[in-house]
Amino acid sequence: IIAEYDSSGQIINRYMVAGQVGTDVRGGHGDQIYIKMDQSFLATTYLGKGYTIEKYEYNVTIEAAINSKSGEEVIDIDINDYLYFDNSRGRFISHNEWRDEIHYAERLMLNDDTSLPKNPSEAGKQGFARVDDKHAQYHNPEINDKYIYKDGREAIYNEESGELLMLLDYENNGPEYGPTYNYVPNDKSIVSSVSKGHYLFDILPYFWWGSVK
């Protein structure tokens, strides 16, 4: 639990760790997302052994988020309720840093398009798992297939041609539905579901900022 103070030294907000990046992916190891705690949460979720995120009710459910489109009112999530701790820097970073340096730049580097299998057949051979259309909707499933790997990488292919869509020329010519590295990927056995960590690190930033600038 961390606290935010006003100029007179009074606590105005408390935040608690909601998720952390592990060491089985390419990057972001130890990075944490904190969520603001409201008064009702503080009053009802202390169990004598510490606070637990399991009892916290998010502004929207994960399923509601998955079934919506970016920008719809159902995604009524205030970014000011979240803080990002960058473990490599040893400090909390601003929302602008989170957006530009983590969500855009670092994801692009870690996804490393040049390392991706060149077609769906090769993706399968290398252990990439195809994601069902419902959970690939943000990559235009009408024409594209989405594959994920346990180290966080994503590969998006044109369904008809099998062509790999890449974001190498990111600033100018990135496709609207380009690959987006996952700090907390869903593994092969649960590609049809969404974990809480994936929701926090990978889905929420997409709702706020999209997948390309």
Side-chain angles (χ1 to χ4, degrees), residues 20-176:
Q20 179 171 311
V21 178
T23 58
D24 55 348
V25 290
R26 286 191 160 198
H29 303 158
D31 287 5
Q32 297 174 322
I33 289 179
Y34 284 68
I35 189 170
K36 185 183 292 184
M37 304 166 67
D38 60 31
Q39 291 302 312
S40 63
F41 183 38
L42 289 169
T44 61
T45 61
Y46 187 74
L47 306 178
K49 298 180 181 179
Y51 293 94
T52 171
I53 192 63
E54 297 301 325
K55 297 295 183 181
Y56 193 86
E57 294 184 3
Y58 289 106
N59 293 338
V60 295
T61 66
I62 292 175
E63 193 65 21
I66 291 301
N67 288 325
S68 68
K69 297 292 185 181
S70 178
E72 286 186 351
E73 290 185 2
V74 68
I75 308 302
D76 184 20
I77 300 172
D78 186 350
I79 191 174
N80 294 310
D81 289 341
Y82 297 85
L83 300 175
Y84 194 102
F85 181 81
D86 188 315
N87 188 53
S88 64
R89 307 184 208 196
R91 65 174 176 86
F92 288 95
I93 60 176
S94 70
H95 291 144
N96 286 343
E97 288 175 310
W98 184 358
R99 179 193 62 209
D100 293 339
E101 299 175 22
I102 302 295
H103 179 63
Y104 289 140
E106 189 173 86
R107 279 190 205 275
L108 178 67
M109 176 192 68
L110 292 172
N111 209 68
D112 187 12
D113 292 359
T114 58
S115 73
L116 297 174
K118 301 306 180 187
N119 55 62
S121 176
E122 287 300 315
K125 292 177 182 178
Q126 293 185 31
F128 280 72
R130 186 182 185 277
V131 178
D132 65 49
D133 288 346
K134 175 183 177 182
H135 292 87
Q137 64 174 294
Y138 304 110
H139 297 278
N140 199 357
E142 294 180 1
I143 61 170
N144 296 334
D145 286 330
K146 173 180 174 179
Y147 286 74
I148 61 174
Y149 194 65
K150 60 186 177 182
D151 66 358
R153 287 177 296 162
E154 281 191 1
I156 313 298
Y157 302 95
N158 182 285
E159 187 176 46
E160 294 183 357
S161 68
E163 176 188 5
L164 172 67
L165 302 181
M166 297 196 295
L167 284 171
L168 296 178
D169 189 2
Y170 181 69
E171 294 290 343
N172 299 313
N173 298 310
E176 182 178 357

